Amino acid sequence: MEYFPLFMNLRQAPCLIVGGGEVALRKVRLLRAAGAELTVLSPVLCRELAELAAAGAVRHLAAEFVPDTVGGQRLVIAATDDRAVNRAVSDAAKAANIPVNVVDDPELSTWISPAIVDRSPLLIAVSTGGSVPVLGRLVRARLESLIPAGFGRLAGFGARFRDRVKARFADVEQRRAFWESVLEGPVADAVVAGSDDVAEQMMEQRLAEPDAPSGAVYLVGAGPGNPDLLTFRALRLMQQADVVLYDNLVAPALLELVRRDAERIFVGKQRANHALPQEDINALMLRLAQEGKRVLRLKGGDPFTFGRGGEEIEKLAEHGIPFEVVPGITSASGAAAYAGIPLTHRDYAQSVTFVTGHKQDGTIQLDWPALTRPHQTVVVYMGVSTASELCAAFVEHGKPSDTPAAVVEWATTERQRTVVGTLETLPALIGEHGIASPALIIVGEVVALAGRLGWFRRIENPTVTI
Ligand code: SAH
């Protein structure tokens, strides 16, 4: 170990920063966050530092550095761009046995500053011992994405219950197990989600009945299929779940990101071929949660957009099972971005409407007068098998038959195909190219931009123009 890691209490401690530029400013901000009493020594200050000095937040010594200045300081930082000055600061501090850091110069430093992830009171410091600072910053970026923003509040929440938990469980092992289940379960999720009152109630219950099952359901949007389009929240929950319920819209590449030893249950739902009726899925989720499992219901796209997400959690709400809904990128957004079809556009479309082409009682029930008005984009989910009727209905209700129309199959994935035509030609093109579900139909002038703006995989017939 090249350096010894430690966290130092600097509340009200006198600290000296030599230098008055941007680098010094960064250090001043950090040390101020730690509550230090700062002196900044520099003949001139940058604007922000001058403002801080004027406001009395730091003491300013407008002078050249002399060794005596380090006297009485707890910590010294040299942040000038003059190595001779930095060396003088370093020598003076070392002679007085005061820890000194020269920014980006480990050779002149007795301590170095780590890259930090600040979720105070949780604080993570990463260091490469000064050898490859960029690597430390990369690690830090990864940690930033792994640790929810609300984690600091979780530490505060835990602290409030510390004494009571200690009194409740005399045995250290039991206490550890209790805290683990709290910090990895629905209580922690509620704190991170900002619902402290709910979390407190659950915590009271857990303290009263520590062995009662504490399951929860997470209804999570997995996005249109490309794993890069998952949210951080979705990924974290995928790595914590005990059971995962998924269907055919969830790409295999996404399932691979689920915790390895989680149970996977296929509840495959296709329009015409329900592997499990909706009621059974709802009942299954309820039962698993009642058994105390953390149930992840992974849905394609966004759970609240043609996903029956509302129905799936209604029963849970009725039974008082904690649940959380995590939005996902809906396939219309995914398809539009990856096919180069802006859904709105100042010149061509002032609104966008999402509808389903799915038949109810044998007919497509849509508000045609509204959908055929000019200057809008219409995106049809679940519409490939009814494409001929859909396109015909648009024209019957007054939309010009040469209105650009596209179908995007397996949007955002390796298998994405985009076929561009018009309301008149699209149904035949769909047959010709063998396009099948999952696919979206997009109708409107903006579709004609795909030829120019499409950047991901190939586009068939990009000849339609505006
Ligand atoms: N909740 C989902 C929609 C579920 S309905 C969402 O927000 O996207 C199922 C329909 O979504 C499919 O019939 C298809 O029209 C569309 N869909 C889902 N994923 C898709 C994809 N990767 N490419 C194209 N269409 C997709």
Side-chain angles (χ1 to χ4, degrees):
M1 205 192 286
E2 191 88 10
Y3 288 87
F4 181 77
L6 86 167
F7 290 90
M8 197 174 200
N9 186 342
L10 288 179
R11 297 252 151 234
Q12 266 130 42
C15 296
L16 173 71
I17 293 169
V18 182
E22 296 293 325
V23 183
L25 174 67
R26 278 208 308 273
K27 301 293 168 186
V28 163
R29 287 201 176 118
L30 266 180
L31 286 170
R32 260 172 54 78
E37 302 252 325
L38 294 177
T39 300
V40 178
L41 183 145
S42 172
V44 281
L45 295 182
C46 67
R47 189 175 51 81
E48 287 94 334
L49 277 177
E51 280 168 13
L52 285 171
V58 299
R59 190 165 75 103
H60 179 207
L61 288 182
E64 299 292 336
F65 176 76
V66 288
D68 280 354
T69 329
V70 302
Q73 301 292 337
R74 184 81 55 83
L75 211 63
V76 171
I77 295 179
T80 79
D81 49 13
D82 182 337
R83 194 150 199 253
V85 174
N86 288 346
R87 184 183 294 279
V89 176
S90 169
D91 289 346
K94 283 177 185 163
N97 262 328
I98 298 169
V100 59
N101 172 259
V102 178
V103 177
D104 285 338
D105 199 338
E107 209 185 302
L108 294 183
S109 305
T110 61
W111 61 276
I112 54 175
S113 57
I116 59 172
V117 180
D118 187 359
R119 302 282 190 276
S120 286
L122 174 74
L123 197 58
I124 302 170
V126 180
S127 163
T128 55
S131 54
V132 199
V134 176
L135 184 63
R137 285 201 281 276
L138 288 178
V139 172
R140 190 200 80 164
R142 290 205 188 168
L143 291 171
E144 286 278 7
S145 69
L146 275 177
I147 299 165
F151 241 52
R153 298 204 1 269
L154 186 56
F157 179 87
R160 291 211 294 283
F161 280 90
R162 208 169 72 176
D163 291 343
R164 289 193 46 207
V165 173
K166 205 165 173 180
R168 177 75 175 74
F169 304 98
D171 179 68
V172 181
E173 269 308 298
Q174 269 186 344
R175 205 151 65 217
R176 191 186 52 77
F178 179 81
W179 273 122
E180 266 178 21
S181 79
V182 164
L183 294 176
E184 287 191 330
V187 178
D189 293 329
V191 176
V192 170
S195 310
D196 282 42
D197 47 343
V198 177
E200 258 163 49
Q201 260 175 29
M202 287 197 266
M203 192 68 174
E204 292 296 346
Q205 255 167 18
R206 299 291 324 264
L207 281 166
E209 273 185 280
D211 297 326
S214 64
V217 174
Y218 304 90
L219 183 61
V220 176
N226 185 327
D228 280 349
L229 300 179
L230 277 175
T231 59
F232 286 148
R233 184 78 187 132
L235 184 61
R236 282 184 208 121
L237 289 170
M238 285 160 83
Q239 290 172 354
Q240 282 175 12
D242 297 314
V243 194
V244 179
L245 273 59
Y246 68 100
D247 51 48
N248 9 19
L249 273 184
V250 175
L254 288 170
L255 273 184
E256 273 175 31
L257 299 172
V258 168
R259 190 163 71 98
R260 220 163 282 281
D261 45 0
E263 188 186 346
R264 291 160 167 73
I265 304 178
F266 179 71
V267 292
K269 251 181 24 178
Q270 257 175 346
R271 205 175 38 72
N273 156 28
H274 283 218
L276 257 195
Q278 186 67 51
E279 299 70 45
D280 292 4
I281 298 180
N282 303 350
L284 178 63
M285 289 202 297
L286 179 64
R287 182 171 61 72
L288 291 166
Q290 281 170 336
E291 283 170 11
K293 305 227 165 76
R294 277 170 303 177
V295 184
L296 185 85
R297 172 64 169 119
L298 208 50
K299 312 271 302 182
D302 176 71
F304 277 4
T305 307
F306 301 122
R308 305 186 78 167
E311 293 167 49
E312 297 199 353
I313 51 177
E314 235 168 85
K315 201 170 178 130
L316 304 170
E318 240 170 66
H319 285 78
I321 300 284
F323 62 84
E324 178 178 327
V325 184
V326 180
I329 293 181
T330 191
S331 49
S333 299
Y338 277 60
I341 303 174
L343 293 176
T344 63
H345 189 291
R346 268 203 309 179
D347 299 333
Y348 309 115
Q350 279 76 52
S351 69
V352 54
T353 309
F354 295 171
V355 297
T356 166
H358 180 51
K359 285 186 179 172
Q360 262 180 342
D361 311 324
T363 56
I364 306 173
Q365 294 167 357
L366 291 172
D367 181 359
W368 290 109
L371 294 183
T372 47
R373 277 188 211 121
H375 309 302
Q376 66 169 323
T377 308
V378 178
V379 184
V380 188
Y381 288 67
M382 295 174 274
V384 227
S385 59
T386 52
S388 310
E389 287 154 87
L390 281 164
C391 290
F394 269 104
V395 177
E396 258 164 48
H397 290 85
K399 202 84 185 162
S401 61
D402 61 354
T403 305
V407 65
V408 189
E409 182 192 45
W410 284 110
T412 76
T413 73
E414 299 272 285
R415 298 163 68 179
Q416 173 173 317
R417 287 195 295 167
T418 306
V419 178
V420 178
T422 63
L423 283 175
E424 192 179 344
T425 61
L426 192 70
L429 288 170
I430 287 178
E432 214 172 282
H433 292 282
I435 300 287
S437 181
L440 289 162
I441 294 173
I442 308 180
V443 179
E445 286 178 296
V446 286
V447 166
L449 294 168
R452 263 183 287 152
L453 305 184
W455 55 274
F456 183 74
R457 301 190 60 80
R458 74 173 186 279
I459 296 183
E460 323 268 348
N461 310 54
T463 47
V464 182
T465 50
I466 17 181

